Amino acid sequence: MIIDLDVSLDPTLGCGQAHRWRKTGEWWEGVLGSEIVRMRHAEGGIEVEGTDRASYVRRYLGGDDDLDGIISEISAADPYVASLASRCPGLRILRQEPWECLATYVLATNANVARIGKMVESVCDHFGTDLGGRHAFPEPRQILDGKECIGECRLGYREARFIELAQRVEDGEIDPEGMRSLDYRGCVEALMGINGVGPKVADCVAIFGYGHLNAFPVDARIKRVMEERYGVTGSYSAVSEYGMRRFGRYAGYAQEFLYHADFIERFAGPS
């Protein structure tokens, strides 16, 4: 099927928002729920194979966002972000399923994108339902039923907190779906009550799992950019709050462009 949507798949699927997408030739392959899905650019939009859930895929790719309006707003706030956005058109923020997003980012602490991808895929291979070549992201019960082999996933110190998260979700102490009703502050507060979730992970899950586009996650790369470009230093909250004030309700989009500034400048050329 063809989905009519202004989206650039390379930066959207390949920039570290989610960790189950692989590119072979012109096709991107990933797993959405219980389906192995392939996407590529085609005449008229995005060609999608492996599912007939057009509305779901469109929403997953950020199709509910008014991209032109968002880019216009964050560009008006800052000329540097405007230049990055103009050289990387079609970058969108994904809308991931809350449980998978939360569990993935609990694994993502102090690890680079390649390492995160290996851990996530290992967890899926060990515990997830076999879809024929790839495995679905496991439900909490599946993780708990097979937790004796968790050491084979090579999660390091993340192992115990990952099992704890699965247990608390299974027991109903944590309700990833229920958090959809919370505003940004409430969402972050609830997330930070989870072992392994600090402010940066909470902000990432708030954006990618719950659509709070005003969040502004700060890692080492963003901290460096904010100091070099804007002279902003200090605690996590100081830098993050500055980004939210400067870029407003779509600060998360500005953060994505700033996070990938080196890549954009290297491969997209000067503005």
Side-chain angles (χ1 to χ4, degrees):
M1 66 181 174
I2 301 294
I3 296 177
D4 181 12
L5 181 64
D6 174 23
V7 57
S8 180
L9 295 179
D10 284 359
T12 300
L13 299 180
C15 69
Q17 296 184 51
H19 300 276
R20 302 212 64 199
W21 292 98
R22 305 168 177 172
K23 190 176 185 184
T24 303
E26 60 184 2
W27 287 95
W28 281 94
E29 181 192 276
V31 180
L32 293 180
S34 60
E35 297 173 310
I36 300 172
V37 176
R38 301 173 75 229
M39 304 186 205
R40 68 175 177 180
H41 290 282
E43 184 176 352
I46 301 300
E47 183 178 359
V48 181
E49 294 183 346
T51 183
D52 59 2
R53 297 184 297 163
S55 60
Y56 179 85
V57 174
R58 182 181 178 85
R59 183 181 183 281
Y60 176 83
L61 292 173
D64 292 342
D65 294 342
D66 174 11
L67 192 60
D68 289 341
I70 289 169
I71 299 304
S72 177
E73 195 163 319
I74 62 175
S75 294
D78 184 76
Y80 180 56
V81 167
S83 72
L84 295 173
S86 69
R87 286 176 284 165
C88 190
L91 168 64
R92 287 182 177 270
I93 288 180
L94 300 173
R95 296 296 193 280
Q96 301 173 44
E97 291 301 319
W99 155 246
E100 181 173 343
C101 185
L102 171 57
T104 294
Y105 274 91
V106 164
L107 295 177
T109 53
N110 299 314
N112 60 34
V113 171
R115 172 82 171 109
I116 298 166
K118 288 179 180 178
M119 287 190 289
V120 171
E121 207 64 24
S122 181
V123 163
C124 293
D125 289 344
H126 278 82
F127 305 115
T129 302
D130 188 351
L131 305 177
R134 302 286 297 273
H135 290 73
F137 195 88
E139 296 298 325
R141 183 73 262 164
Q142 292 177 297
I143 297 168
L144 296 172
D145 286 345
K147 64 182 179 181
E148 292 78 11
C149 69
I150 189 70
E152 298 174 14
C153 296
R154 303 178 65 84
L155 306 182
Y157 68 88
R158 306 166 189 84
E159 180 180 303
R161 63 180 57 167
F162 188 69
I163 295 295
E164 178 187 333
L165 173 64
Q167 188 68 65
R168 292 185 68 192
V169 173
E170 181 67 16
D171 292 345
E173 294 178 25
I174 297 170
D175 181 7
E177 285 297 321
M179 290 186 199
R180 290 184 188 272
S181 65
L182 300 176
D183 63 12
Y184 165 69
R185 297 292 180 186
C187 182
V188 167
E189 182 178 349
L191 289 167
M192 288 185 64
I194 299 170
N195 186 18
V197 177
K200 184 254 184 177
V201 167
D203 273 337
C204 287
V205 178
I207 292 178
F208 304 132
Y210 295 103
H212 293 295
L213 300 181
N214 59 313
F216 193 85
V218 178
D219 65 354
R221 188 183 308 188
I222 288 294
K223 191 172 184 179
R224 173 179 58 81
V225 171
M226 296 303 286
E227 181 175 1
E228 293 177 354
R229 283 281 169 181
Y230 307 103
V232 178
T233 60
S235 66
Y236 180 97
S237 61
V239 178
S240 179
E241 291 289 343
Y242 176 88
M244 293 174 70
R245 288 195 305 272
R246 185 178 186 96
F247 298 108
R249 56 182 175 165
Y250 301 122
Y253 265 94
Q255 192 267 6
E256 281 295 295
F257 288 113
L258 292 170
Y259 183 85
H260 297 287
D262 290 345
F263 175 85
I264 294 170
E265 291 179 337
R266 186 179 308 120
F267 293 101
S271 60

